[in-house]
Amino acid sequence: MTKCNRLIDAGRRQFLRGGMMATAGAAVTTLAGTQEAKAQAALARVDYPASRLGNIGELTENEPLDVSYPDDDSPGVLLKLGHAVEGGAGPDGDIVGFSVLCPHKGWYLGYNADDRTFNCPGHYSRFDAEAGGQQVWGHATSNLPQFNLRVDDDGEIYAEGVDELIFGRLSNTL
């Protein structure tokens, strides 16, 4: 029995030591994963030729303006959200642009101004316009493609790339 008790004590010590090491390892992995995720996002952004989508003067807060980007076969919208958001452009950092094709099956998304989400009528995926098109519900397996926008001194809004694969395309190249 004494031999068995010593193994139990050694097991407890090893368990506690292992738990501390696992916690430290998880913290390092999370930090590395965050940096890797940022690097992956930068690599995922595809530069298309700059295309004028509109002017700040054409935007009404929280009302989508229909556009096409990167070509006429790819419907999207511009939105002025009224407060700065990550990835927002313009003097207030509140202008965003998205593809309106659901990344799951390509259904046309509707915009809900009350909660600022894009909603799919097909399988009910929802995407948060204030969080870079992040999926918040549904069958989609990726976020909503967001346009990389630039606003010049005259208020002209240009798209210069997209950060996710647009539905129906095998790659983000024209």
Side-chain angles (χ1 to χ4, degrees):
M1 279 298 205
T2 13
K3 188 174 188 181
C4 190
N5 285 337
R6 277 188 250 138
L7 287 176
I8 291 171
D9 288 343
R12 288 180 189 145
R13 283 191 295 275
Q14 287 177 337
F15 175 77
L16 292 172
R17 188 178 312 124
M20 290 187 305
M21 295 301 287
T23 301
V28 169
T29 302
T30 300
L31 179 59
T34 301
Q35 291 170 346
E36 183 178 319
K38 287 180 182 178
Q40 293 271 342
L43 291 174
R45 190 169 298 272
V46 176
D47 294 329
Y48 286 115
S51 180
R52 181 190 176 278
L53 299 182
N55 187 286
I56 290 177
E58 299 173 63
L59 299 177
T60 302
E61 187 174 316
N62 206 24
E63 288 184 23
L65 174 70
D66 292 333
V67 297
S68 294
Y69 184 74
D71 53 46
D72 291 339
D73 294 326
S74 187
V77 295
L78 289 177
L79 275 173
K80 181 172 180 57
L81 294 171
H83 61 275
V85 294
E86 187 173 339
D92 300 324
D94 66 341
I95 299 170
V96 293
F98 296 98
S99 169
V100 290
L101 295 176
C102 182
H104 177 234
K105 292 286 184 180
W107 291 72
Y108 281 85
L109 301 173
Y111 181 68
N112 182 333
D114 292 334
D115 65 2
R116 297 177 186 227
T117 59
F118 290 95
N119 300 286
C120 180
H123 298 103
Y124 311 110
S125 290
R126 300 179 72 213
F127 305 90
D128 189 339
E130 296 175 310
Q134 181 178 15
Q135 180 189 352
V136 293
W137 181 260
H139 291 286
T141 57
S142 64
N143 295 328
L144 193 59
Q146 183 174 7
F147 305 149
N148 184 21
L149 300 179
R150 173 180 57 86
V151 179
D152 71 12
D153 294 337
D154 296 325
E156 300 294 322
I157 304 166
Y158 294 88
E160 299 177 329
V162 66
D163 69 352
E164 297 277 348
L165 186 62
I166 296 170
F167 180 82
R169 295 171 188 240
L170 300 177
S171 68
N172 273 339
T173 58
L174 292 177

